[in-house]
Amino acid sequence: MNRPEFAESLAALLDSPQDEAARDFVYHYAPIILFDEREPFLPLAGGYTVFTEDGPSASFRRDVALRGADAAIEYAIWWDWDIEHLYELEHVWVYVKDDEVMRVEASWHGKMHDMLSGPHEPVRGTHPVVYSQPGKHAFAAMPDWYDEFKAWAPRQSQTNRLAGAGGVLAPAMFGGKISECPLYNTLVRTYMQRMCFDASWSFTNEFSFNREQMVPWKTLFEWIPSRVNLWTSIMEQEIAPSEYRYLRIGHRGARAYAPDNTLTSFKKAIELDADFSELDVHLTADGKIAVIHDDMLRTNDGQFLKVHEHTLEELQRVDLGGGERVPELKEVFALARQSFMGLLIEIKDGRVIPQLAGLFTESWMKRLVMVSSFRPDWVAEFGAAVPGVSTAVLFESANINAVALAKAAGAQYVDPCWEGLRDDPADLLTEEWMKAVREANLGIICWSEQRPKVIEHLRQIGVDALCSDQPDLL
């Protein structure tokens, strides 16, 4: 987006007053960064902190220890964009003794690594040389550090499939000054899907900082929230609802093509390019979380088994069709993690909540898993147990106050289940209804829809997510 507001915002940062001698010192050791030849995002600024004694970093979870160096320079490097989200900050630490670089460290997905190990060009003059992961920008000493990412299938590519999946990042250190809501996440996804790319893994795009891009960390820190909020404000103005890249959710996987809530159904949804799969969970007699829609399972000889009265092993003896069995949620999590498929989990039995909450141990879950229920109290209970995971409250009545219901449950999304109310239930999503939901900073997930005409209507009015038994329709 080529708007004068962005240039004015950056100028306000780079023209801020500072100690020019300090700027000269940090510029003298500023890192050279080698980017993928297709990389769409380059740094805008480097927020520096100079350590002349050991001390905690103000921008990274670590303590900086000189270990014989005269000084350590921390470069907090700012981009507006990571390919997955709006907000990007990575770090390089340069340790100096007698005007020579004696040690270099850099950030890597929340951790840090030594950059001077291995057969490569570690320092060019006084400038460390590092490689930036395409789109994600984690720093490496050598390109082969990225072999694991390079081997991923296209669906798993963070520069392509997951573009915009993280929405707006709002780290706690900014104290709520960065505005975030489901609509902003949809806008980020929409914009980033336009910017997605397949990495070449050829690091021929060399970037060196200008002296003017060096600013004190405190100045950068104070500027960042306004920069992020400027982006969301302008995207809201420039991206029309009909252009929103809504989440494509396979209903119980792809139940039109495979037995629902089975691994085959979820794999089919992945094959049909769904972003998420919706699924239902109950608790078994032996305390396992079973992925199954109803609280009873009909056996192949016509009997009915109550899920909560039988073990998972007993339930799995029932052939659901084609040899499919009731999966345990852990199996679905493993598939989701491997394929980067999102999950929309509907709680059908509130007793699963403690164990379900305990499964959220990996960072990917908070951006690729949502939880919903027709029971607002269960939504509230889960939300309190796992802050940061998006939740949705489901309801069938067109006469309910959706905003009040979601607020009471602490949900971020409303999920009207109106598919059976009329031929085009999207008519119920009136301009007034949509306005009220958006003004409450809530997102909109819609029901399972198979009618192309209704799907097109929902796309035009700008919902955040839509389900279908046939994900290919989306």
Side-chain angles (χ1 to χ4, degrees), residues 85-103:
H85 45 73
L86 170 57
Y87 178 101
E88 173 66 326
L89 196 69
E90 295 289 347
H91 290 74
V92 173
W93 294 271
V94 179
Y95 297 81
V96 179
K97 185 176 180 62
D98 299 330
D99 196 33
E100 291 187 2
V101 175
M102 64 175 292
R103 195 165 77 252

Side-chain angles (χ1 to χ4, degrees), residues 153-157 160-162 189 193 196 245-251 253-254 257 265-277 339-342 466 468-474:
R155 174 175 175 96
Q156 298 169 314
S157 171
N160 196 319
R161 182 68 198 173
L162 293 181
R189 181 169 58 250
Q193 286 285 313
C196 66
R245 170 57 165 83
Y246 61 67
L247 289 173
R248 303 185 290 250
I249 303 178
H251 186 220
Y257 307 111
S265 189
F266 299 132
K267 290 175 183 176
K268 186 64 177 178
I270 294 168
E271 179 187 325
L272 296 176
D273 218 20
D275 302 305
F276 274 61
S277 278
S339 62
F340 286 95
M341 173 182 68
L466 178 58
S468 181
D469 295 345
Q470 302 169 258
D472 46 319
L473 292 179
L474 305 180

Side-chain angles (χ1 to χ4, degrees), residues 63-211:
D63 290 325
V64 176
L66 296 185
R67 288 160 42 199
D70 297 329
I73 309 167
E74 178 179 80
Y75 298 89
I77 301 172
W78 173 261
W79 296 252
D80 286 341
W81 294 97
D82 169 304
I83 193 64
E84 288 188 58
H85 45 73
L86 170 57
Y87 178 101
E88 173 66 326
L89 196 69
E90 295 289 347
H91 290 74
V92 173
W93 294 271
V94 179
Y95 297 81
V96 179
K97 185 176 180 62
D98 299 330
D99 196 33
E100 291 187 2
V101 175
M102 64 175 292
R103 195 165 77 252
V104 180
E105 297 162 343
S107 57
W108 173 278
H109 299 288
K111 301 177 182 178
M112 63 179 184
H113 289 287
D114 176 12
M115 292 289 113
L116 297 189
S117 60
H120 66 294
E121 177 192 27
V123 180
R124 191 180 303 171
T126 58
H127 300 281
V129 178
V130 299
Y131 292 82
S132 176
Q133 182 181 338
K136 292 296 295 176
H137 308 141
F139 292 132
M142 296 171 287
D144 60 10
W145 286 22
Y146 300 122
D147 285 351
E148 175 187 357
F149 302 98
K150 187 177 179 180
W152 283 352
R155 174 175 175 96
Q156 298 169 314
S157 171
Q158 289 175 295
T159 64
N160 196 319
R161 182 68 198 173
L162 293 181
V168 178
L169 286 192
M173 66 178 173
F174 292 101
K177 293 180 181 178
I178 293 177
S179 300
E180 54 179 336
C181 66
L183 174 59
Y184 291 167
N185 291 338
T186 294
L187 293 171
V188 167
R189 181 169 58 250
T190 301
Y191 185 71
M192 281 291 92
Q193 286 285 313
R194 300 172 180 175
M195 303 295 288
C196 66
F197 66 102
D198 288 325
S200 70
W201 303 102
S202 175
F203 295 89
T204 58
N205 188 359
E206 183 174 309
F207 172 85
S208 297
F209 283 96
N210 296 321
R211 178 181 178 279

Side-chain angles (χ1 to χ4, degrees), residues 13 19 53 83 89 98 135 177 203 224 232 236 253 320 328 346 358 410 459:
L13 171 70
D19 184 327
E53 58 184 32
I83 193 64
L89 196 69
D98 299 330
K177 293 180 181 178
F203 295 89
I224 286 173
T232 53
E236 192 170 8
L320 303 178
E328 186 179 2
E346 181 181 343
R459 187 183 71 81

Side-chain angles (χ1 to χ4, degrees), residues 39-57:
E39 174 65 52
F41 312 115
L42 297 177
L44 295 182
Y48 64 82
T49 304
V50 178
F51 293 82
T52 55
E53 58 184 32
D54 298 352
S57 167

